[in-house]
Amino acid sequence: TQASHIKEVEPLLNQLLTMMDDKVRAREKVQRRLLQRKGMHWIVLRLLACLPADFTETTGPLCYRALARLCDGAPNIQAELAQHVHVFYAHFDSIPHEVAFVLSAIYKDNVNLCYTVEEYMMKKIAALIKDDLAAPYLMLAKIIITPKDQIVRRNQNLIIKHLDSLDVQLLLFQGGAKALRKTLLSDSSAETPASSLAPVSRGKSAKATKMLQVHIGSIELLTACMAEYNHDNKKRCRGGNPNLTLTLADVEADLYDRELPVSVKRALLDFLVQAYILVDMSNINLLMQPEITNVFDQLARWIELLPVDTRGSKVTRLTKSERSLLTDTYMAAAKAFFSTLPASDLRQRES
């Protein structure tokens, strides 16, 4: 029967995934390239297209994981799979996380494809974010806005449009930082310093790690929506839409919070640059200049770029890797800020 045949396929899919292990040793790289050249994605896609409903939540995830790995570093496969997104749409209601991962793999290296994303899909992503605030959806939304670090202005506007129209409230703006801090304090092993897309660790830290991914993903998505001087979206994120607003006071408080991890602070600095520094109002920097300057001054002392007042509270020391990551982001943000100041303002430039 068809069911028995599909059950026989599942061990083969597991073997295929093992051959393309994410740890990517030299042998796995060669095997993955060989499978890509042999058109293995077509076989998996055909299986996925004829998958009975009873096997959607068992065999389906294995198929999607295989397709995501086959897309890695292969723009031609990404383009071919993009022609069959209707197959993936059929599973959006049953296994949406897996679908989001595959769509992210399809679009992340292919700028031209991102210009062809249908508005229907962006509305669907916004609806998924509203119903189930999860990192895969936030990652997909960001990827179709910034493929290969390029900005697709149309997608910026459509994502914000549908987040706005559906009245989506991100975790960040529902006391997310407070909840995140409480969870991290109860489980100190949850930090993922280098990337908001790091795999979720097992055990007690899984909940905290997921919260961290969602918290950073929310900040990064809105930062992407404001990039390349999208001033309409910048206004929304400065207060035009309460659901999408992170005030300067909020940014300042979270940057000073010693319990929030470095990965959150790096995302906040990028948000600060887009929302409050690279702006279209000539006087906004002058109005906020003392406050923003103080933010950079205090943060510099925390990461030990400047001397720390010995009379103040005890300073939490950063690891070498944390300091390096945060310093790079800090210097880029500080450069953006001071380059916007009037040339005559030598005092602020010197400080």
Side-chain angles (χ1 to χ4, degrees):
T1 65
Q2 186 182 33
S4 62
H5 287 316
I6 291 177
K7 286 183 179 180
E8 292 175 0
V9 168
E10 289 185 9
L12 297 176
L13 285 169
N14 280 313
Q15 184 178 354
L16 177 64
L17 289 168
T18 301
M19 293 172 65
M20 300 186 295
D21 192 276
D22 275 341
K23 294 177 183 177
V24 189
R25 293 175 295 179
R27 185 182 67 179
E28 279 73 16
K29 280 187 176 181
V30 172
Q31 290 174 337
R32 182 179 304 188
R33 294 292 178 259
L34 179 61
L35 291 167
Q36 289 170 335
R37 287 197 296 269
K38 292 293 184 180
M40 180 59 70
H41 60 288
W42 290 120
I43 299 173
V44 179
L45 184 64
R46 284 199 296 270
L47 173 62
L48 199 56
C50 66
L51 203 62
D54 293 344
F55 290 88
T56 299
E57 297 184 10
T58 54
T59 309
L62 297 176
C63 293
Y64 277 106
R65 286 170 58 195
L67 287 176
R69 294 184 187 181
L70 287 166
C71 281
D72 185 39
N76 59 318
I77 294 179
Q78 295 167 8
E80 290 169 358
L81 290 178
Q83 304 303 313
H84 300 272
V85 290
H86 61 279
V87 176
F88 310 140
Y89 288 168
H91 297 135
F92 244 141
D93 293 328
S94 53
I95 45 175
H97 283 207
E98 285 75 9
V99 175
F101 275 124
V102 164
L103 291 176
S104 295
I106 289 173
Y107 289 113
K108 69 177 182 178
D109 296 322
N110 216 312
V111 179
N112 291 334
L113 283 180
C114 288
Y115 280 99
T116 66
V117 177
E118 298 176 359
E119 183 174 352
Y120 158 80
M121 192 176 93
M122 285 181 266
K123 185 176 181 180
K124 180 66 175 180
I125 294 170
L128 288 168
I129 291 174
K130 180 177 182 178
D131 295 337
D132 174 26
L133 190 61
Y137 311 138
L138 296 167
M139 176 177 67
L140 174 58
K142 181 189 173 187
I143 281 174
I144 62 176
I145 291 172
T146 59
K148 297 188 75 173
D149 295 325
Q150 298 187 41
I151 302 298
V152 181
R153 180 60 60 93
R154 165 185 172 270
N155 295 353
Q156 277 183 318
N157 294 333
L158 287 174
I159 287 291
I160 283 288
K161 169 189 170 182
H162 292 299
L163 289 174
D164 199 352
S165 65
L166 293 174
D167 198 27
V168 175
Q169 286 189 313
L170 301 182
L171 174 66
L172 178 66
F173 312 117
Q174 296 173 311
K178 185 177 180 180
L180 175 64
R181 179 166 50 251
K182 182 178 179 181
T183 306
L184 291 175
L185 283 172
S186 65
D187 188 345
S188 60
S189 64
E191 165 71 292
T192 54
S195 171
S196 62
L197 305 179
V200 176
S201 56
R202 300 187 181 277
K204 291 192 300 182
S205 66
K207 178 182 177 181
T209 305
K210 286 181 180 179
M211 286 186 66
L212 182 60
Q213 292 173 345
V214 168
H215 190 73
I216 297 173
S218 300
I219 302 171
E220 289 181 343
L221 174 57
L222 292 179
T223 302
C225 287
M226 295 185 289
E228 292 293 324
Y229 297 96
N230 192 322
H231 295 302
D232 289 338
N233 289 348
K234 288 175 187 283
K235 291 174 184 176
R236 288 187 178 93
C237 295
R238 283 198 303 266
N241 180 342
N243 294 333
L244 304 176
T245 294
L246 185 58
T247 67
L248 184 58
D250 292 332
V251 173
E252 195 172 353
D254 286 351
L255 283 173
Y256 295 163
D257 191 329
R258 300 291 175 86
E259 304 300 337
L260 290 178
V262 165
S263 46
V264 173
K265 298 182 189 300
R266 295 180 69 210
L268 285 167
L269 279 170
D270 289 335
F271 182 95
L272 175 68
V273 170
Q274 292 298 335
Y276 294 100
I277 294 176
L278 301 179
V279 295
D280 58 336
M281 294 179 287
S282 58
N283 64 336
I284 192 170
N285 279 337
L286 295 176
L287 293 173
M288 296 185 172
Q289 181 178 312
E291 192 171 356
I292 295 177
T293 301
N294 185 61
V295 169
F296 282 108
D297 180 63
Q298 294 299 320
L299 192 59
R301 296 181 189 281
W302 184 64
I303 60 179
E304 298 177 338
L305 292 176
L306 295 175
V308 178
D309 185 355
T310 56
R311 294 172 296 176
S313 59
K314 183 179 179 181
V315 176
T316 302
R317 297 286 179 179
L318 299 176
T319 66
K320 185 177 181 180
S321 60
E322 286 175 335
R323 185 178 297 109
S324 177
L325 288 169
L326 187 54
T327 299
D328 288 345
T329 308
Y330 172 89
M331 295 303 291
K335 180 180 178 181
F337 172 55
F338 288 109
S339 66
T340 63
L341 296 179
S344 59
D345 197 346
L346 298 179
R347 183 182 65 80
Q348 289 295 343
R349 285 180 176 272
E350 181 179 352
S351 69

